[in-house]
Amino acid sequence: MDKRVLLPTDYSKNALNAIRYAMELYSNERCEFYILNVFHISGYTLDSMRVPETGEPYYEAAKKESEEGMERLMQMIKLHPQNDKHRFHTITTFNSLTEAIKILVDKKDIDIIIMGTKGITESRARIFGTNTVNVMERIRECPVIAVPSHYMFEIPKEIVFPTDYKSPFKKKEIGDLIAMAKLHDAKINVVHIDKDRDGKLSRKETTNKELLQEILQGTDYEMHFLSADKISDGINTFIEEHDCQMVAFLNRKHLFFGSILSNPLVKKIGYDPQVPILELNDN
């Protein structure tokens, strides 16, 4: 069955870069790409008592602007070498981004969402755009790949998977990571970063580690142990030393360094992404 990939865009360079990344990542796969632009109307919020309706001048003007932007974007995509395996569908809608994505994920049975880390309005100081963090936090039905602004595509041959072994793994949660590794014959580097530097795992952590090894059987993987004061430093050092092209995080609702939104992964681990992030969910 064809891969169904959702590509949210605000027509920024960053969003275009993420679309190009998706086309390269799945260049050998049959894909249905759904490109989504969510438009807003100045003066209206989704919480307004009154929502603008089709036919109203403000609504029609915003809709037209969104559709024209989509037309320009499709022209740019056509400049990219064409791939017979890829088909594109465009959607423009008035909604909140996460709500529009939820609807599409359900309606089109989306396998994965690929988006940029920042949008047009994000400040330079903000490492991750609010939209990206919201999508990672609220959309739990499928994985999300966040592509850093200026990242040039490289085949992911080395994938980092940081873990603290604090909770047991399930095959289902790791499935998308294994699929990504198999797609590009990549190696999964499981990295345990130890802040205590004693190198010891508790009995429970050891059991969880063994369970993960069972799940990863049949893939090319290696277990690593690093000591670092800051988790982010450990991850970044590993990425540089092993020339990694992707980092995968398991976003557990309550357990992975706190949930992304209430205790942002980006804040907590201070993670400034140099490579794309594959965010997995513990459905």
Side-chain angles (χ1 to χ4, degrees):
M1 192 176 139
D2 295 359
K3 192 101 185 149
R4 298 158 94 72
V5 184
L6 178 56
L7 304 167
T9 180
D10 58 0
Y11 306 135
S12 62
K13 280 184 184 171
N14 190 14
L16 178 61
N17 189 45
I19 291 170
R20 288 186 178 136
Y21 179 87
M23 290 161 71
E24 295 276 8
L25 186 68
Y26 293 116
S27 59
N28 296 319
E29 296 275 288
R30 296 186 65 84
C31 284
E32 301 283 336
F33 288 115
Y34 294 87
I35 302 182
L36 168 71
N37 175 254
V38 174
F39 61 87
H40 303 283
I41 297 160
S42 54
Y44 286 93
T45 67
L46 288 155
D47 314 326
S48 300
M49 294 296 286
R50 199 179 147 277
V51 175
E53 290 172 21
T54 313
E56 288 187 13
Y58 292 125
Y59 181 95
E60 291 304 325
K63 182 172 182 259
K64 185 169 182 262
E65 196 182 324
S66 174
E67 286 168 351
E68 285 170 355
M70 188 65 82
E71 224 165 275
R72 286 192 296 274
L73 173 60
M74 292 313 293
Q75 291 307 319
M76 283 188 252
I77 287 171
K78 281 176 187 159
L79 298 174
H80 200 276
Q82 294 304 290
N83 186 333
D84 294 342
K85 293 190 168 96
H86 293 172
R87 287 204 314 174
F88 291 88
H89 310 270
T90 59
I91 301 120
T92 59
T93 182
F94 171 72
N95 208 332
S96 78
L97 181 65
T98 48
E99 213 36 59
I101 287 176
K102 265 185 182 163
I103 291 164
L104 268 173
V105 165
D106 184 46
K107 200 168 148 191
K108 302 294 182 187
D109 194 19
I110 297 296
D111 295 305
I112 194 162
I113 299 163
I114 300 181
M115 62 194 297
T117 48
K118 286 184 187 173
I120 290 170
T121 54
E122 299 299 345
S123 71
R124 281 169 181 267
R126 199 192 284 275
I127 296 169
F128 256 53
T130 321
N131 281 338
T132 314
V133 174
N134 281 347
V135 171
M136 282 179 159
E137 177 63 18
R138 293 179 190 168
I139 309 298
R140 308 201 63 90
E141 294 74 22
C142 67
V144 178
I145 292 180
V147 184
S149 312
H150 304 295
Y151 187 79
M152 296 294 286
F153 179 79
E154 276 186 67
I155 293 169
K157 286 291 183 190
E158 298 279 344
I159 303 173
V160 190
F161 180 51
T163 178
D164 53 12
Y165 296 125
K166 290 273 186 280
S167 40
F169 298 91
K170 297 190 194 87
K171 242 186 195 160
K172 205 166 84 174
E173 334 176 297
I174 310 293
D176 291 296
L177 170 60
I178 292 172
M180 183 61 68
K182 287 189 170 169
L183 178 63
H184 291 290
D185 295 322
K187 180 179 175 185
I188 299 169
N189 295 284
V190 180
V191 178
H192 174 62
I193 296 162
D194 178 35
K195 294 206 280 189
D196 304 328
R197 299 175 181 269
D198 63 358
K200 289 176 187 153
L201 292 179
S202 68
R203 187 179 293 176
K204 184 182 156 196
E205 288 165 353
T206 304
T207 305
N208 291 337
K209 181 182 178 180
E210 286 165 0
L211 177 59
L212 181 59
Q213 285 175 300
E214 272 176 46
I215 294 169
L216 292 176
Q217 253 181 0
T219 65
D220 180 9
Y221 78 90
E222 193 177 335
M223 300 283 193
H224 303 267
F225 190 89
L226 286 182
S227 53
D229 292 326
K230 276 180 73 184
I231 292 168
S232 56
D233 292 345
I235 295 171
N236 285 331
T237 302
F238 191 92
I239 287 170
E240 280 165 32
E241 287 177 1
H242 293 78
D243 189 22
C244 301
Q245 297 82 21
M246 184 178 278
V247 56
F249 286 113
L250 182 52
N251 176 23
R252 294 189 187 277
K253 280 190 196 81
H254 306 294
L255 295 165
F256 182 71
F257 308 133
S259 91
I260 288 183
L261 202 66
S262 58
N263 192 348
L265 163 149
V266 224
K267 258 193 214 160
K268 182 78 175 177
I269 48 184
Y271 189 62
D272 179 4
Q274 305 302 318
V275 298
I277 286 177
L278 168 63
E279 181 250 2
L280 309 159
N281 292 302
D282 66 339
N283 294 321

